[in-house]
Amino acid sequence: LRSGPRPVLDEAMVDRLLRPGVQPLWILEQLRRALEVRSRTQPLLVLLDDVQHADPLSLLAIRTLVPALARQPVTWILARHPAPTTPALDRLSTTLQKHGATVVSLPPLRQDALEAIARDVLSAEPDDAVRAQLDRSGGVPAVAIALVDHLRQCREGSLDADAPDALGLRLRRQLRPLSAPARQVVEVAAVHPFGVTVEEVAATLQWPVTRVLPHVRDAIRAGILDDTAATLTFPVDPVRQAVTVSMTPAARQALEQEVARVRGQSRLR
């Protein structure tokens, strides 16, 4: 709203909006007026990314401004990660859908789109080695970029090919939307590449299944885990590998042994 050749908000207005002690409702009214005035001379498209990170005032602004400007030529496109969710995000989604919003769940990227990303990263056509990395990405853009960029750095000699830390750090960013308990669930699942059941996760963490289930759902919604089979698995194996690498050897071994113990007990029943 404040950038571009014809910003909706000039610097003077931005300064007034950011003054300490300004009432939120006054800010919302000024934003509404600015958008309405500009929309009288040209249609507007408002793009908001990573809405899951928005603060409460920003969520209130979206929830208020979208219906308030419904009769104006203002179109909104909001993008958010599916997990975690909050009551405020749920209220926003409900409000927007009541006012005609369409929810679009994006599928994994196709091979041609992944190769286009690789061209941007490499400034060259992807070869077989690059395509092999794209195949490991699970169609997730951030993972594809991390894998291809890591390969580029290795080829240029700017990164040790045997050092997983830089790549692992980038891949573990996929876990940022998850709560601490959900990350514990993910760690248990990560030590077994062929998957674990919800009951095994619960027994390993010594939690009731009812406590595990919400965190499993968050991990699935975030695209970290998949439950299409009988077990919880990682649709993107490089992310699983990055999670296991982040553990100390002792912690990883302890989790492996605990899950094996739980499985052994279940077979005896």
Side-chain angles (χ1 to χ4, degrees):
L1 297 180
R2 57 187 296 188
S3 61
R6 295 186 61 206
V8 174
L9 301 176
D10 58 32
E11 289 303 317
M13 174 57 73
V14 172
D15 289 341
R16 288 196 294 273
L17 294 176
L18 296 179
R19 282 184 309 194
V22 174
Q23 294 297 314
L25 292 179
W26 183 83
I27 294 176
L28 294 181
E29 179 59 20
Q30 298 309 305
L31 290 173
R32 186 197 64 76
R33 286 183 182 178
L35 289 166
E36 182 176 344
V37 169
R38 177 56 59 85
S39 70
R40 291 172 186 166
T41 59
Q42 66 178 112
L44 295 178
L45 174 62
V46 183
L47 304 176
L48 299 173
D49 198 5
D50 288 328
V51 174
Q52 74 277 4
H53 297 314
D55 59 82
L57 179 57
S58 297
L59 293 177
L60 174 63
I62 299 168
R63 201 168 70 245
T64 303
L65 293 173
V66 170
L69 295 166
R71 296 182 179 276
Q72 309 302 323
V74 180
T75 299
W76 301 76
I77 297 180
L78 280 61
R80 59 159 292 193
H81 208 278
T85 190
T86 64
L89 283 169
D90 290 340
R91 285 195 299 273
L92 174 62
S93 179
T94 299
T95 298
L96 296 183
Q97 290 181 67
K98 282 182 178 178
H99 286 84
T102 300
V103 178
V104 179
S105 297
L106 299 180
L109 292 183
R110 299 180 308 185
Q111 185 67 18
D112 57 344
L114 292 171
E115 291 188 11
I117 288 177
R119 289 188 194 97
D120 286 341
V121 174
L122 301 171
S123 298
E125 285 297 314
D127 56 23
D128 289 343
V130 173
R131 292 190 182 94
Q133 294 301 314
L134 295 176
D135 289 342
R136 300 174 64 215
S137 72
V140 179
V143 175
I145 292 170
L147 291 171
V148 173
D149 192 48
H150 182 76
L151 179 61
R152 176 189 62 78
Q153 292 180 62
C154 292
R155 287 177 171 179
E156 293 174 351
S158 59
L159 188 69
D160 183 354
D162 296 324
D165 289 346
L167 177 61
L169 285 172
R170 294 183 69 170
L171 292 176
R172 286 193 293 277
R173 291 174 188 167
Q174 303 300 304
L175 274 63
R176 283 181 179 175
L178 299 182
S179 64
R183 293 185 188 190
Q184 288 181 267
V185 169
V186 168
E187 287 180 350
V188 174
V191 299
H192 285 274
F194 300 109
V196 292
T197 66
V198 172
E199 292 79 9
E200 288 170 344
V201 173
T204 300
L205 294 173
Q206 298 182 7
W207 295 353
V209 170
T210 52
R211 179 181 175 187
V212 171
L213 283 174
H215 305 303
V216 168
R217 284 195 291 266
D218 276 351
I220 292 171
R221 291 180 64 182
I224 304 300
L225 295 179
D226 181 73
D227 68 341
T228 53
T231 58
L232 299 172
T233 57
F234 283 75
V236 183
D237 194 62
V239 174
R240 183 195 66 80
Q241 294 173 348
V243 172
T244 59
V245 167
S246 70
M247 302 180 197
T248 64
R252 185 166 60 249
Q253 183 179 22
L255 277 178
E256 291 170 348
Q257 292 175 345
E258 183 61 17
V259 173
R261 184 190 67 79
V262 167
R263 284 179 170 171
Q265 288 182 342
S266 65
R267 292 192 187 102
L268 294 174
R269 292 173 185 169

